[in-house]
């Protein structure tokens, strides 16, 4: 039975991911006083890309065409670790938050290599910046996650999610809030949002993620973009279920599942709205200003740990 | 006052005079005077030797006294004076230090010599109460002369002064060394002089000078 | 006991005879190198068997080899710690020996034969270093190991740079050895014995200061060899200039012998008495790891990059040793076992993937005759196997699942968390979390460095003629790399194998071990589990594979069959030329800017205009990294030393008067003082 | 009779050179030195087996310690004469030396050997003094043999400084004689060291203290202890290489032997570690003083000379440390250093003849130019700086261990640290010479087989003694240690 739930969980995430992306775009368009494409546009895009023939650079090697699959697989594997509707719907025996971070790293590694593979300067630039930013992000993410792990004495995501859910509002101590803010900044960086990256342009000066994907087309592009959406979804889930426990994660029965799903989906979409709003309210930073921002996040996360330690005594 | 005591006092006095002569060597500014003083010192030493021979009644010490008188009292100064005239160096003792400093150092050295032998190291030997510190003084002063004077001839003077110190020591404390050692020492002295002579000759030929201050190419 | 003793002798004799024969047959370099490396291969197999037997049975092997004088003898004792290190070394030597068979064709001369012989001697010395059981023997083989590796380093001694690197290496390592000498002699003074067995757990009987001195000296002495900052300066110089199979062994295993020494002294002899030792080691390790990888990141020389990365990994291993000490001091033996497992497993892993990477670098060097990343590119098509193996190495070192590096990284972070949760001091907890953050940061930088190393070396268009003409290396070299790559994967997926090997070691040191049960489920399903969480690498691997297929199927089902067209890379309409590609310098530029306090980069741009400012002519661009430790630590010290030496030299002025006055003054002083 | 024969053989050989035809030089040289070596070794072995030999009414006395030194003297002398054959021939060919002077060279060389042997076999400390002075005189002309400015300067300094030093030593001996006479009365064996050792407890300690200071300064000058070593680098570097090998490898040892003898007496008489401490201090100073000179050296042979200062310092330090371990280490080191240093000087000889310079900056690629010599250069340098598995490592290990085991932690650390610095310096220069490309004008190829043959002897000792000290050798050393500890 457990296996079915896990598959269900994965399918839920996979299905919702483009919709979240669509929501964010729509929200941004709203703030920009534009009509914007429909909420379902990302689905159409993906299907379209999947059906198109692809053009591959003559310089590219096997690594180039294998990268999208590996990226997708690793992000999807990460998806299996993050509890969405219920803490029990994960393969928690297989790994914890550390594995999660490293699965993201896996995806990034391949994306960056793929960016370099075609020989285009844009790809190289994208890879370089991606690795640069992710390196700055990593310690923040670990600290933020560790401050939570410290609270519940476990690095297992389902345990963390379960525990935070059962604590409920009592969770909202200063440490937690600090960690949450830090994690939010991390989520902006990890999902390639303004002020760190601009997902909407191919402009040389601003692109990071898109730079690496510049040469992709057809099916590989679809997979790459889908992976990105899924990753965004995962990060939001992480934020929602680990840092925002309201509503709780009910046990596995039909009503529980239903209510759980509902609460989960609402949380994710609220977070998506917030993300879009923050994005629209900010300017893209110069790349060398990014470390400053992340440094702030790092201090917040560090502070979260300190406070947590003091609270724990 | 026993006779032994009287003799020992006499030897003491003579030893002090020997030391005083070395002091005057240090003060002198003329090479010629230095050599004459050396001769005087040797004559004194010979006198001491004779006295020791008389007191101890050992015959071969008389022989030593005679040899000293002849070799150190006349032969060596004569040779030195001859050399001085022959190589016609300016008849001045050149020192690295001022005369006053020289004397101060010499006095300090003497004090040190007495200091290190106090209290009476040789108390069992009535003849040589003070000869040990005086001998050490002479050795130190001889080396000091070698160090402080620029002329090669003065280095020889230094060596001779040291020798005199040793001699004073052997004579007054142990009535000379065993015969075999004495012979060996004489042999060494002889060969040493020859070898130094050969080297000096070669150096003179190669460097066109015998000034030791110029021999400082090997450094580091 | 008999079997293991025979195995030991067989191994030593095989390796030695191989070296000797190789020397004797130096006229025919093919035969002689073959003999040398087959011998080291066979010898290592014996050693591996020996190690496994000792680890399984728990029987120590003790041999008294010979006695030079009453105080100088050579005894062997293989206990679990030694056996583990034997295992590490022999695994590395196995693959490197095979690799060398092909690699030595680079040195087609008489030199190759001697290289083979010296290589065998080096291997032999390493085996002995970790098994010798007394002070004289240890120092003997330790110094032999240094000297022999020096000769290996300066194989290309016609280049000034190589000679310099070799010199710095041997001097640093020798100065470090002085500290080792001292600490052993101090132990001798307090135990009256020169045997390691008599030093065991002697720590608590010693005075506090003595223990602390021994600790500091062992840290400096072994730290020099291990390459901790700031004593590491020889490492990024010596490892790159050595022939690659030698760098593989030096970086992969030789520097680990220093860790062996540290473990022996701190745990086995002193039985760690003070917490501050642990904190010191932890902080030094973290610092080393971080600064090491920052230097690696901006390096253009592939082998130098790898060397700096070794510095980083040594830092990680040291950090875990520090955690072990702290946890042990606070009485958390079980947790200490986790930390120690993390460190030792990382040691094993690093030896494997660093071997692999150096062999890969060697293969690239073999094919392109350059170590400069900026002159490579596009090798993945010309050398597909090398590229694959190098990629596996790069992924392992970047701690990506499902390779072995991830397991040890995971354990390390877990043990830091455990430290942060368990110790009673808040300040110490904070340190733990900070260290975790710094190590996570370094981990990300490692990934960046190896994206650069792999990406710029193997991907895109060749940037030089040599790279364009490169050909795949001989099969023996590939086989060597392949073995290591397999180890990477196997240990990554089935880390239980590693834990099993390690459990006697951790048990001996901490009284606990990570996993002690046997059985198939353990091997396949128990990855690693601490009090805080667990991973099952095999499951992760499985899910990854399933999901890859899922992705393939998904794309096919949803998108239908599509075609793929090959075309040029889009470069805004121009034709792609190698000059347009991102270079190593470009790739690491953002890091250079951010870490400018550490790296002190220096960039010069000279424009020479042909007509006017708007019509560019030649632009010259120079950029280099200032070696901070050398400029601000070693050079001033060196200058001071040389200057004062030069002052002292003035006493030999050449003047005979001065010389006599020395005698005079000495005499007077003695006369006065001796009274 | 044997001691007398041992003494006479080199003298006869030496005097033969004054009469015989030039063509016979090589043969006589070889035969003479071989005979001396065989006699010396035979004599030593018989002493090792049968105990001390006394001869000529107690003037000659060979105990196990003297026999040990005789072994070193006779082996190195033989090697040096063997090496001289071709080396001097080449020097004559190069025009550095007139062909007619060769007989004087051999004459002095053998005479020098005989004086060194004399030092070791006499019982009377006075005669020992005479013999030591004789070694100076015999070797002074050898030092200045090239008759160039530098060598003459070196010889002059050698003679003058050593003579001054030795005068001090004589003073010390007179003092000792005096104090001995006051116990034994006027007798000819009042200076015999056996007698002295027996009555050491009764001697006036203050006098002996004074006497030991003078003797230490005096013989220390000759042995090359800092700061009285100043003549040593000049003399050892300017002499022809075979002579340098003798000077550094043997002569220093024989003088040190004299100090050792006196140390035993002083130690018994004064007690309180007085002489031991002095020896340790002088030993450490000698090691320390060598550091800057070795590191900033320009001349190959000077570097080796400073290394001799260092090693004499090591032995002195070890003797000062005393105890079973210290003395054992000292003796082993004495032997090892003699071998290693003579090898190094021969290597230097080969290299300087090939490159026609002693300036290290001009020597490059020795391994390519003269591969065997180059290999020996590397081995020699590693050996002399105390790297395993060569012999000096073992002795230095024992010495350092002795230091620490006696609680002299600071001294021990200084000792090890200074040695490491010296290693740095010597290895730097050696690596610069050995590696790299050889200059174009230098043709590769060894100078001669006899040179290499002479070098293999010390090489064999260096290679084996690090890992294997023959049991009988060890036993001899043990017995000497027993003798020295009284």
């Amino acid at each position: 039975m457990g296996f079915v739930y896990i598959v269900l969980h994965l399918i839920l995430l996979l299905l919702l991911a483009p919709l979240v992306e669509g929501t964010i775009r729509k929200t941004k368009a709203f703030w920009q006083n534009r009509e914007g494409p429909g909420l379902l546009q990302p689905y159409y895009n993906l299907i379209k890309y999947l059906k198109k023939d692809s053009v591959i650079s003559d310089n590219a090697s096997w690594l180039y065409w294998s990268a999208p699959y590996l990226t997708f697989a690793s992000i999807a594997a990460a998806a299996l670790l993050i509890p969405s509707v219920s803490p029990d719907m994960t393969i928690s025996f297989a790994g914890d938050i550390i594995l999660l971070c490293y699965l993201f790293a896996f995806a990034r590694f391949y994306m960056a290599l793929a960016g370099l593979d075609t020989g285009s300067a844009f790809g190289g630039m994208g890879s370089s910046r991606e690795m640069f930013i992710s390196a700055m992000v990593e310690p923040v993410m670990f600290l933020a996650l560790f401050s939570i792990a410290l609270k519940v004495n476990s690095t297992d995501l389902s345990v963390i999610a379960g525990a935070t859910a059962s604590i409920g509002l009592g969770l909202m101590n200063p440490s937690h809030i600090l960690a949450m803010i830090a994690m939010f900044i991390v989520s902006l960086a990890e999902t390639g949002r303004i002020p760190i990256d601009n997902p909407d342009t191919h402009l040389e000066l601003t692109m990071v993620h898109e730079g690496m994907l510049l040469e992709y087309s057809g099916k590989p592009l679809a997979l790459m973009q889908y992976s990105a959406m899924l990753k965004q979804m995962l990060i939001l889930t992480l934020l929602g279920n680990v840092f925002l426990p309201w509503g709780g994660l009910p046990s596995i029965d039909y009503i529980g599942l239903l209510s759980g799903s509902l609460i989960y989906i609402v949380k994710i979409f609220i977070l998506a709205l917030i993300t879009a709003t923050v994005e629209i309210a900010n300017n893209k930073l110069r790349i060398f200003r990014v470390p400053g921002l992340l440094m702030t996040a790092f201090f917040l996360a560090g502070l979260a740990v300190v406070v947590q330690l003091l609270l724990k005594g | 006052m026993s006779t032994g005591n009287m003799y020992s006092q006499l030897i003491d006095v003579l030893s002090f005079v020997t030391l005083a002569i070395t002091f005057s060597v240090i003060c002198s500014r003329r090479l010629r005077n230095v050599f004459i003083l050396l001769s005087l010192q040797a004559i004194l030493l010979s006198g001491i030797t004779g006295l020791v021979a008389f007191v101890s009644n050992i015959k071969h010490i008389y022989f030593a006294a005679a040899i000293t008188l002849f070799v150190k009292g006349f032969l060596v100064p004569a040779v030195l004076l001859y050399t001085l005239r022959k190589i016609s160096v300016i008849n001045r003792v050149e020192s690295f230090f001022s005369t006053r400093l020289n004397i101060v150092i010499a006095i300090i050295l003497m004090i040190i010599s007495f200091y290190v032998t106090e209290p009476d190291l040789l108390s069992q030997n009535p003849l040589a109460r003070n000869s040990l510190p005086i001998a050490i003084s002479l050795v130190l002063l001889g080396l000091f002369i070698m160090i402080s004077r620029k002329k090669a001839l003065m280095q020889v003077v230094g060596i001779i002064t040291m020798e005199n110190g040793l001699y004073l020591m052997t004579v007054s404390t142990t009535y000379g060394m065993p015969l075999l050692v004495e012979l060996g020492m004489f042999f060494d002295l002889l060969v040493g002089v020859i070898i130094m002579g050969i080297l000096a000759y070669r150096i003179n030929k190669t460097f066109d000078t015998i000034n030791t201050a110029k021999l400082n190419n090997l450094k580091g | 006991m008999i079997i293991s003793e025979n195995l030991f002798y067989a191994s030593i004799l095989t390796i030695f005879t191989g070296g000797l024969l190789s020397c004797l047959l130096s006229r025919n370099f093919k035969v002689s190198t073959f003999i040398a490396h087959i011998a080291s291969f066979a010898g290592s197999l014996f050693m591996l068997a020996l190690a496994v037997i000792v680890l399984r049975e728990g029987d120590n092997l003790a041999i008294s080899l010979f006695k030079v004088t009453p105080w100088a003898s050579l005894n062997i004792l293989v206990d679990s710690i030694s056996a583990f290190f034997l295992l590490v070394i022999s695994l590395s030597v196995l693959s490197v020996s095979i690799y060398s068979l092909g690699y030595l064709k680079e040195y087609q001369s008489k030199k190759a034969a001697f290289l083979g012989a010296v290589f065998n001697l080096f291997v032999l010395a390493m085996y002995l270093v970790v098994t010798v059981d007394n002070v004289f023997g240890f120092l003997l083989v330790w110094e032999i190991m240094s000297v022999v590796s020096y000769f290996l380093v300066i194989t290309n001694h016609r280049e000034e740079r190589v000679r310099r690197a070799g010199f710095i290496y041997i001097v640093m390592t020798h100065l470090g050895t002085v500290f080792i000498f001292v600490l052993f002699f101090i132990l001798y003074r307090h135990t009256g014995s020169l045997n390691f067995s008599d030093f065991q757990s002697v720590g608590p009987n010693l005075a506090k200061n003595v223990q602390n001195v021994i600790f500091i000296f062992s840290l400096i002495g072994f730290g020099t060899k291990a390459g901790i900052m700031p004593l590491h300066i020889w490492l990024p110089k010596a490892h790159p200039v050595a022939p690659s199979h030698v760098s593989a062994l030096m970086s992969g295993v030789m520097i680990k012998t220093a860790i062996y020494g540290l473990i022996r002294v701190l745990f086995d002899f002193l039985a760690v008495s003070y917490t501050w030792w642990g904190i010191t080691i932890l902080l030094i390790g973290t610092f080393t790891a971080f600064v090491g990888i920052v230097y690696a990141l901006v390096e253009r020389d592939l082998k130098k990059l790898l060397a700096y990365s070794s510095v980083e990994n040594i830092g990680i291993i040291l950090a875990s040793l520090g955690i072990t000490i702290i946890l042990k001091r606070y009485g958390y033996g079980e947790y200490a076992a986790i930390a120690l497992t993390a460190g030792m497993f990382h040691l094993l892993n690093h030896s494997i993937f660093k071997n692999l990477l150096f062999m890969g670098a060697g293969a690239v060097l073999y094919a392109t005759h350059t170590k400069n990343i900026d002159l490579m590119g596009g090798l993945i098509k010309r050398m597909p196997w090398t590229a694959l193996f190098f990629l596996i190495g790069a992924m392992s070192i970047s701690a990506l699942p499902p390779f072995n590096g991830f397991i040890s990284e995971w354990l390390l972070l877990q043990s830091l968390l455990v430290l942060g949760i368990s110790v009673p001091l808040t300040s110490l907890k904070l340190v733990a979390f900070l260290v975790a953050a710094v190590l996570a940061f370094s981990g990300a930088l490692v990934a960046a460095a190896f994206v650069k190393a792999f990406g710029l070396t193997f991907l895109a268009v060749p940037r030089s003629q040599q790279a364009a003409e490169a050909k795949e290396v001989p099969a023996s070299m590939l086989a060597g790399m392949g073995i290591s790559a397999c180890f990477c994967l196997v240990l990554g997926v089935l880390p239980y194998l590693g834990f099993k090997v390690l459990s006697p070691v951790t048990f001996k040191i901490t009284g606990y071990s990570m996993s002690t049960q046997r059985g198939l489920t353990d091997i396949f399903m128990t990855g690693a589990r601490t009090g805080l969480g667990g991973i099952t690498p095999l499951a992760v691997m499985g899910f990854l594979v399933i999901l890859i297929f899922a992705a393939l199927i998904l794309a096919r089902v949803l998108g239908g069959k599509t075609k793929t067209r090959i075309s040029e890379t889009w470069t805004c309409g121009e034709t792609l030329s190698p000059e347009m590609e991102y270079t190593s310098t470009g790739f690491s530029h953002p890091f250079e800017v951010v870490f400018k306090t550490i790296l002190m980069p220096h960039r010069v741009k000279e424009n020479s205009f042909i007509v006017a400012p708007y019509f560019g002519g030649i632009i010259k661009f120079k950029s280099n990294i200032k070696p901070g430790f050398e400029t601000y630590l070693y050079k001033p010290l060196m200058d001071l030393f040389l200057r004062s030496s030069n002052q002292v030299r003035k006493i030999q002025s050449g003047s005979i008067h001065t010389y006599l006055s020395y005698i005079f003054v000495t005499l007077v002083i003695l006369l006065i003082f001796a009274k | 009779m044997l001691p007398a024969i041992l003494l006479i053989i080199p003298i006869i050989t030496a005097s033969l050179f004054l009469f015989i035809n030039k063509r016979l030089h090589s043969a006589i040289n070889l035969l003479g030195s071989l005979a001396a070596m065989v006699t010396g070794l035979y004599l030593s072995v018989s002493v090792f087996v049968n105990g001390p030999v006394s001869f000529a009414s107690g003037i000659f006395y060979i105990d196990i310690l003297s026999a040990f030194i005789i072994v070193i003297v006779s082996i190195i002398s033989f090697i040096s004469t063997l090496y001289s054959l071709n080396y001097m021939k080449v020097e004559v060919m190069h025009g550095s030396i007139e062909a007619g002077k060769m007989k004087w060279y051999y004459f002095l060389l053998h005479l020098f050997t005989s004086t060194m042997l004399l030092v070791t076999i006499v019982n009377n400390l006075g005669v020992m003094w005479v013999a030591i002075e004789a070694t100076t005189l015999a070797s002074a002309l050898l030092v200045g043999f090239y008759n160039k400015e530098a060598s003459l300067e070196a010889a002059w300094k050698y003679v003058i400084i050593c003579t001054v030093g030795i005068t001090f030593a004589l003073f010390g001996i007179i003092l000792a004689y005096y104090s001995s006479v006051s116990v034994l009365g006027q007798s000819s064996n009042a200076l015999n060291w056996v007698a002295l050792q027996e009555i050491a407890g009764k001697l006036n300690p203050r006098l002996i203290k004074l006497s030991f200071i003078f003797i230490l300064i005096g013989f220390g000058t000759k042995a090359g202890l800092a700061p009285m070593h100043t003549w040593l680098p000049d003399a050892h570097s300017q002499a022809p290489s075979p002579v340098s090998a003798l000077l550094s490898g043997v002569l220093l040892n024989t003088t040190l032997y004299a100090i050792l003898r006196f140390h035993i007496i002083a130690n018994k008489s004064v007690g309180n570690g007085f002489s031991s401490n002095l020896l340790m201090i002088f030993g450490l100073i000698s090691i320390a003083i060598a550091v800057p000179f070795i590191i900033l050296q320009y001349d190959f042979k000077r570097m080796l000379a400073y290394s001799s200062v260092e090693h004499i310092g090591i032995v002195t330090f070890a003797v000062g440390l005393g105890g079973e371990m210290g003395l054992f280490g000292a003796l082993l080191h004495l032997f090892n250093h003699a071998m290693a240093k003579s090898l190094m000087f021969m290597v230097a000889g080969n290299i300087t003849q090939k490159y026609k310079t002693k300036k290290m900056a001009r020597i490059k690629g020795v391994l390519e130019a003269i591969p065997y010599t180059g290999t020996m250069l590397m081995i020699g340098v590693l050996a002399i700086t105390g790297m395993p598995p060569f012999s000096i490592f073992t002795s230095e290990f024992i010495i350092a261990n002795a230091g620490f085991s006696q609680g002299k932690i600071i001294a021990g650390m200084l000792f090890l640290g200074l040695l490491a610095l010296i290693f740095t310096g010597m290895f730097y220069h050696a690596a610069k010479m050995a590696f790299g490309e050889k200059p174009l004008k230098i043709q590769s190829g060894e100078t001669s087989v006899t040179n290499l043959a002479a070098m293999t002897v010390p090489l064999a000792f260096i290679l084996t003694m690090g890992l294997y000290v023959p049991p009988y050798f060890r036993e001899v050393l043990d017995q000497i240690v027993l003798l020295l500890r009284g």
Side-chain angles (χ1 to χ4, degrees), chain D residues 77-100:
Chain D
S77 301
F78 172 70
I79 297 167
S80 158
T81 45
L82 180 61
Y83 185 77
S84 295
L85 283 181
N86 184 67
Y87 183 84
M88 295 313 280
K89 213 178 281 168
V90 174
E91 289 296 279
V92 172
M93 227 156 63
H94 286 175
S96 316
I97 289 171
E98 296 159 38

Side-chain angles (χ1 to χ4, degrees), chain C residues 220-478:
Chain C
I220 299 175
F222 291 116
T224 313
K225 193 77 173 185
I228 62 170
M229 299 257 175
L231 301 169
H232 69 287
I233 54 153
W234 63 271
L235 204 149
K237 291 186 196 302
H239 291 198
V241 300
S244 298
H245 65 301
V246 175
S247 347
L249 278 193
M250 282 178 80
S251 247
V253 278
M254 188 191 74
I255 56 176
K256 309 293 168 42
T257 57
I259 302 289
Y260 165 79
L262 213 52
I263 290 177
R264 267 275 176 246
V265 172
L266 294 188
F267 291 104
D268 205 15
F269 299 167
L270 295 184
V272 285
S273 314
Y274 300 100
T275 315
W276 74 270
W277 298 0
I279 301 173
T280 311
I281 295 186
L282 175 62
L283 292 180
I284 289 180
T286 313
F287 176 73
T288 304
F290 181 67
V291 180
I293 196 61
V294 169
Y295 275 111
L297 196 50
V298 293
E299 198 46 67
R300 260 168 287 181
D301 179 327
L302 184 56
K303 286 177 76 178
K304 215 164 178 178
L305 187 151
L306 294 177
Y308 270 121
S309 142
S310 290
V311 174
E312 186 246 342
N313 282 289
I314 282 294
I316 289 179
I317 295 167
L318 276 182
S320 61
L321 282 188
I323 302 167
T324 314
I325 293 176
I326 299 173
L327 286 169
K328 194 169 180 241
R329 282 299 303 153
Y330 279 104
Y332 299 104
E334 262 175 294
Y335 294 158
I338 297 173
L340 189 64
T341 310
M344 294 300 99
F345 197 56
H346 192 71
L347 190 145
L348 173 63
N349 293 338
H350 178 248
S351 76
I352 292 169
F353 54 63
K354 193 44 70 69
N355 268 328
L356 174 55
L357 288 168
F358 262 114
M359 288 192 279
V364 171
L365 184 64
Y366 184 93
T368 64
H369 296 283
T370 177
K371 291 184 289 181
N372 188 345
I373 296 179
D374 283 344
L375 295 180
M376 298 173 188
L379 295 177
I380 192 169
K381 291 187 177 151
R382 290 153 188 86
M383 314 166 64
W385 286 105
T386 308
L388 177 68
F389 296 141
F390 196 91
L391 181 65
I392 290 176
M395 288 180 72
S396 303
I397 204 169
S398 307
L400 297 180
F403 294 103
N404 57 356
F406 169 67
I407 309 290
S408 37
E409 184 87 4
W410 185 87
L411 277 170
L412 178 71
L413 289 170
Q414 282 283 343
S415 57
L416 273 168
L417 265 180
V418 164
L419 179 70
I421 285 169
S422 59
V423 287
L425 290 177
T426 310
S427 52
L428 211 51
K429 288 181 178 185
L430 261 177
V431 167
F433 282 100
L434 252 175
V435 166
V438 174
L439 288 183
F441 193 12
S442 325
L445 294 179
V446 174
F450 281 90
V451 163
K452 172 177 126 172
F454 181 80
L456 296 172
T457 308
F458 288 98
L459 303 180
V461 187
R463 294 183 185 76
S464 68
Q465 191 68 28
Q466 302 110 289
E469 286 166 2
K471 286 198 189 71
E472 185 59 289
V473 292
S476 51
M477 288 169 75
L478 292 178

Side-chain angles (χ1 to χ4, degrees), chain C residues 212-225:
Chain C
N212 286 338
V213 164
I214 294 177
F215 165 69
I216 293 171
F217 277 35
S218 63
L219 195 60
I220 299 175
F222 291 116
T224 313
K225 193 77 173 185

Side-chain angles (χ1 to χ4, degrees), chain D residues 140-158:
Chain D
L141 288 179
L142 282 171
V143 169
F145 202 74
Y146 281 122
N147 226 348
K148 291 181 301 191
E149 290 189 14
S151 48
L152 285 175
E153 183 186 332
W156 179 256
K157 284 177 183 169
Y158 176 43

